[in-house]
Amino acid sequence: MKTIMVIGAGQMGSGIAQVFAQSGFDVYLNDMNEAALNKGMNNIEKLLTRAVEKGRMTDDQMAETLNRLTPSTGLEDASNCDVVIEAVVENMDVKTSVFKQLDEITPAHTILASNTSSLPITEIASVTNRPEKVIGMHFMNPVPVMKLVEIIRGLQTSNETYQAIEIITHSLNKTPVEVNDFPGFVSNRILMPMINEAIYTLYEGVASVEDIDTVMKLGMNHPMGPLQLADFIGLDTCLYIMEVLHEGFGDSKYRPCPLLRKYVKAGWLGKKSGRGFYHYE
Ligand code: NAI
């Protein structure tokens, strides 16, 4: 397992490509959008430069890492890969279309992994002829910093595939956690209802944005308040995950807060759009 491809060069995909390249893997970073691909490659270079400036990496290590990264706009390069990690937008139709193509292009031994935050791995696997080799590999944002990888077993994922991904996760110096395929897995099943409840607390006028975040930071020792965290994740992504939980469990406790819907409809998507619960430059 030496050569991998990451599909989608956005905030997650570029981070995933970076940590694999830093750990000695040969990496193709793929995006169908050339501008997005360039932005992803530039972000990696910026982060590595900062690491060199801070003395966490040498110039040679940076050059070696960049040498292991190959930008790509066509999926054909996946035919050389042992593992492919998909990190495109959180949309089932887009993901299944990518997995169908990968199933045709890649050799039989290739493991196909998804970085989805909430979509069922079993359903993604069902469009391929190798469901035993399809698995969830859910990294946390920002990928170079966060230690956890949630590994999600689809209904038909084999033990061999699970073990291979577990070994790879350790080789990235990250900690794997084994999770079965249920809506929101573990991370978002617990995190998103907390964020949604914080939004309800604001919606019902219990306290201000800043005070809600202060309660959770100083009172519960969270490094970041839930409303700021929602802005960083993206309010559209938060709404999408709440909808997956609501539909998947059929339980009203997961209903998305109307204020979250309103902000998303207004285009207030958090940090990436300049406005969410807070204002950003
Ligand atoms: P993003 O919007 O920053 O990046 C997605 C990229 O995929 C874009 O550059 C887009 O051009 C590209 N893309 C779309 N369709 C494609 C295709 N068919 N082929 C190749 N490239 C394609 O999104 P982000 O935030 O990086 O999320 C990606 C995935 O990671 C989603 O499934 C998301 O749920 C998941 N995720 C996101 C986290 C977050 O905090 N944002 C955390 C953990 C997982």
Side-chain angles (χ1 to χ4, degrees), residues 13 29 56 63 94 102 157 176 184 198 200 214 253 264:
L29 178 57
R56 283 189 265 112
V94 179
L102 290 173
T157 308
Y200 265 111
T214 300
K253 77 179 178 184
V264 172

Side-chain angles (χ1 to χ4, degrees), residues 7-13 30-33 36 86-90 94-95 98 115-117 138-141 233 237:
I7 304 178
Q11 54 176 346
M12 292 305 291
N30 171 281
D31 203 295
M32 61 177 190
N33 176 336
E86 165 279 311
V88 304
V89 283
E90 187 75 344
V94 179
K95 291 200 192 281
V98 169
N115 180 53
T116 177
S117 316
H138 182 207
F139 289 84
M140 306 292 129
N141 187 13
I233 294 168
T237 304

Side-chain angles (χ1 to χ4, degrees), residues 30-272:
N30 171 281
D31 203 295
M32 61 177 190
N33 176 336
E34 206 164 328
L37 181 60
N38 291 337
K39 191 174 165 201
M41 291 294 292
N42 287 339
N43 277 347
I44 294 174
E45 200 165 339
K46 254 190 249 162
L47 289 176
L48 295 176
T49 306
R50 206 177 302 158
V52 171
E53 282 164 7
K54 294 204 163 162
R56 283 189 265 112
M57 185 183 259
T58 64
D59 281 321
D60 283 352
Q61 285 169 328
M62 174 171 165
E64 280 164 21
T65 302
L66 289 173
N67 257 338
R68 286 190 209 106
L69 277 160
T70 308
S72 132
T73 48
L75 284 186
E76 311 76 50
D77 294 324
S79 63
N80 304 320
C81 295
D82 305 307
V83 180
V84 180
I85 299 159
E86 165 279 311
V88 304
V89 283
E90 187 75 344
N91 175 300
M92 186 53 102
D93 290 341
V94 179
K95 291 200 192 281
T96 50
S97 149
V98 169
F99 272 76
K100 268 187 206 155
Q101 294 175 64
L102 290 173
D103 194 32
E104 282 170 16
I105 295 168
T106 56
H109 78 275
T110 305
I111 293 177
L112 306 180
S114 175
N115 180 53
T116 177
S117 316
S118 61
L119 295 170
I121 298 301
T122 307
E123 191 175 338
I124 294 173
S126 73
V127 303
T128 72
N129 292 312
R130 61 178 92 184
E132 73 287 354
K133 291 203 176 296
V134 178
I135 194 160
M137 195 176 187
H138 182 207
F139 289 84
M140 306 292 129
N141 187 13
V143 182
V145 177
M146 301 296 279
K147 282 279 177 211
L148 179 73
V149 178
E150 225 179 0
I151 305 182
I152 302 113
R153 278 179 183 269
L155 189 63
Q156 300 180 73
T157 308
S158 67
N159 287 337
E160 200 186 1
T161 299
Y162 178 81
Q163 278 152 13
I165 293 298
E166 191 179 52
I167 290 168
I168 289 173
T169 302
H170 283 299
S171 75
L172 301 175
N173 200 19
K174 302 217 179 274
T175 304
V177 166
E178 182 178 355
V179 173
N180 285 321
D181 193 16
F182 258 77
F185 316 133
V186 171
S187 52
N188 282 317
R189 180 173 180 167
I190 296 173
L191 174 67
M192 279 303 153
M194 185 194 71
I195 287 177
N196 197 47
E197 201 59 34
I199 302 172
Y200 265 111
T201 310
L202 177 70
Y203 179 61
E204 290 167 8
V206 180
S208 68
V209 169
E210 289 78 8
D211 286 347
I212 291 167
D213 277 353
T214 300
V215 167
M216 298 307 286
K217 280 190 288 187
L218 301 188
M220 316 301 157
N221 228 3
H222 289 196
M224 193 184 277
L227 298 174
Q228 189 185 8
L229 180 56
D231 274 359
F232 277 54
I233 294 168
L235 301 190
D236 50 343
T237 304
C238 293
L239 177 59
Y240 193 86
I241 296 170
M242 283 311 296
E243 280 169 343
V244 168
L245 292 173
H246 196 202
E247 198 190 314
F249 290 115
D251 188 328
S252 64
K253 77 179 178 184
Y254 297 110
R255 71 215 176 285
C257 178
L259 189 63
L260 176 60
R261 281 194 196 286
K262 196 186 248 184
Y263 276 29
V264 172
K265 284 209 175 107
W268 294 2
L269 305 182
K271 193 163 182 272
K272 64 184 167 189

